Amino acid sequence: MVWVERFTCDVCGKLRGDSESWWVAASECVPASTARNTQPALQLMPWDNLLAHSADSKHLCGAACVHTFLDRWMAGLRAGTEACSG
Ligand SMILES: [Zn+2]
């Protein structure tokens, strides 16, 4: 039996084909100049299988889903459901 990796888009649920150029997004905490020590940041990178395996990574099939994901991430920050723990 062969292990087949399957990635689906975290926004639209589309299954990724082997040769498709997707994107990987990851939230992180970066130093802030305000009273808080860190603030959330979002990294967007071209598809990389190693990065895609990270539990924190989001898999995005294209620009439209990147935009949707960014909208949600920003809304999460505004609503306080997305924040830095560090
Ligand atoms: Zn998608």
Side-chain angles (χ1 to χ4, degrees):
M1 204 171 124
V2 178
W3 171 251
V4 180
E5 284 180 305
R6 294 192 160 218
F7 292 101
T8 53
C9 177
D10 280 293
V11 172
C12 71
K14 181 184 165 187
L15 193 64
R16 182 176 179 270
D18 286 343
S19 59
E20 291 177 352
S21 303
W22 282 26
W23 299 88
V24 179
S27 290
E28 61 174 358
C29 293
V30 297
S33 58
T34 59
R36 290 181 300 164
N37 290 329
T38 58
Q39 62 180 358
L42 190 69
Q43 274 192 323
L44 180 68
M45 298 152 281
W47 185 264
D48 180 280
N49 273 322
L50 209 61
L51 289 172
H53 276 110
S54 168
D56 297 331
S57 291
K58 298 297 179 193
H59 316 115
L60 303 163
C61 70
C65 285
V66 168
H67 289 160
T68 301
F69 178 75
L70 184 60
D71 280 348
R72 289 178 187 173
W73 184 80
M74 290 167 74
L77 290 182
R78 292 274 180 262
T81 55
E82 187 107 27
C84 274
S85 52

